[in-house]
Amino acid sequence: MTNLTDLEARETEQASPFRRWLGVGTLGFILIALLGFVTGVLMSAAEKGGLSMRGGMLLMVAIALIALCAWGIVRLRPAFLTGEPQSAKTRRANWVLVACGALGGVIGLTLSIAGLANDENGVFSNGSLSPTVAVIVVAAIALLVPLLSFYWYANADEFEKRASGDGAIIAMYVYSIIAPCWWLLERAALIPPQEPMTVYLLVISVWGIVWLYRKAN
Amino acid sequence: MKNRLKVLRAERDWSQAELGMRLDVSRQAVNAIETGKHDPSLPLAFRIARLFDMPIEDIFDDELD
């Protein structure tokens, strides 16, 4: 039999996954942005037939930061990747979340590279996109997201589903405020036209933050 | 809702992750139940009661009495 105080002390560090997940998410986002930057510098160098001193230094700094982010992600990786015991269903649900993150990363990188080819900047640019790339990315989103969501929902436990559900409800409320307010202010010429991806990012961020918060509180 | 989950777990020398594995839920779910932040559903409460071979009311206390 274990002493309760020892048990509590041992598990205090594991109790809150919020900071850990937030750290991994932030570093992952920075990592993807840096990979996009490196791709851009390399493509520009290929077009110009060489790399300037400034470009070379920026590239080295970016690669160092990528290594730093990767190290941080490994250090902060969620406990389920460190080999703690877990049921098969919990493991499947966690890996679906990892797969969703990987899918987002691949789509982001694809859009970055495709955008650079058209002299567009950034993953969320509204610029023109090759029809082939658009169809491939849309197919990936339309097919994989419902499949992964269904599989996750079939395997996640009730606590995880509640945290996700709470996040989704609050995100829906945020959307129901942002979308009509922006539409009205745009009609009054007070703000620029509505950006679908900005609204999407806001809503999805609220969902994710509330989800993590509910898991930790 | 108050509960004796942590005490029962300590008696068996199980970690939260080990208990989660036995209940088919995550470690975070066990932690949330233990700390009273999440009230388990009736099916999960029954699984907990069966695992510890005790009546539900001996594990969970709704503090109404």
Side-chain angles (χ1 to χ4, degrees), chain A residues 14 29 37-38 40 45 56 58 60 72 82 87 105 121 124 127-128 132-133 135 138 165 170 204:
Chain A
Q14 297 179 328
F29 188 79
F37 174 76
V38 167
L58 283 172
M60 281 171 66
T82 61
S87 71
N121 224 345
F124 302 108
S128 62
T132 312
V133 173
V135 168
V138 165
I170 292 176
I204 214 90

Side-chain angles (χ1 to χ4, degrees), chain A residues 1-4 7-8 10-11 14-17 21 79 84-90 94 157-160 162 215-217, chain B residues 6-7 9-18 20-21 24-29 31-34 37-41 44:
Chain A
M1 182 175 160
T2 305
N3 181 299
L4 256 185
L7 191 75
E8 280 167 0
R10 200 169 64 205
E11 289 171 343
Q14 297 179 328
S16 173
W21 276 105
E84 71 172 27
Q86 55 187 185
S87 71
K89 278 184 87 173
T90 304
N94 285 333
D157 63 47
E158 60 181 50
F159 174 65
E160 187 81 35
R162 193 202 66 174
K215 273 186 79 168
N217 294 280
Chain B
K6 188 178 278 186
V7 176
R9 184 164 64 76
E11 284 173 2
R12 287 154 184 81
D13 202 13
W14 291 343
S15 65
Q16 287 180 338
E18 279 172 305
M21 196 173 69
D24 212 9
V25 298
S26 64
R27 179 184 55 74
Q28 289 88 351
N31 183 63
I33 295 168
E34 279 186 358
K37 290 170 185 166
H38 175 67
D39 291 335
S41 65
L44 179 54

Side-chain angles (χ1 to χ4, degrees), chain A residues 35-48:
Chain A
L35 285 171
F37 174 76
V38 167
T39 310
V41 171
L42 290 175
M43 285 185 76
S44 164
E47 277 174 16
K48 291 174 184 166

Side-chain angles (χ1 to χ4, degrees), chain A residues 54-178:
Chain A
R54 187 170 167 269
M57 286 183 69
L58 283 172
L59 198 62
M60 281 171 66
V61 170
I63 289 169
L65 287 173
I66 285 170
L68 201 66
C69 285
W71 177 78
I73 289 170
V74 170
R75 290 274 299 175
L76 286 170
R77 70 192 183 280
F80 75 91
L81 293 175
T82 61
E84 71 172 27
Q86 55 187 185
S87 71
K89 278 184 87 173
T90 304
R91 189 177 300 116
R92 284 197 292 269
N94 285 333
W95 277 111
V96 170
L97 295 181
V98 173
C100 287
L103 177 67
V106 169
I107 289 173
L109 207 58
T110 306
L111 291 178
S112 286
I113 294 167
L116 285 168
N118 290 337
D119 286 333
E120 295 290 346
N121 224 345
V123 181
F124 302 108
S125 159
N126 287 329
S128 62
L129 189 64
S130 144
T132 312
V133 173
V135 168
I136 290 170
V137 173
V138 165
I141 293 170
L143 291 173
L144 292 177
V145 171
L147 276 176
L148 287 169
S149 302
F150 180 81
Y151 192 66
W152 179 82
Y153 204 81
N155 287 288
D157 63 47
E158 60 181 50
F159 174 65
E160 187 81 35
K161 281 180 197 167
R162 193 202 66 174
S164 168
D166 287 352
I169 288 170
I170 292 176
M172 189 64 217
Y173 287 142
V174 168
Y175 177 75
S176 68
I177 292 167
I178 290 176

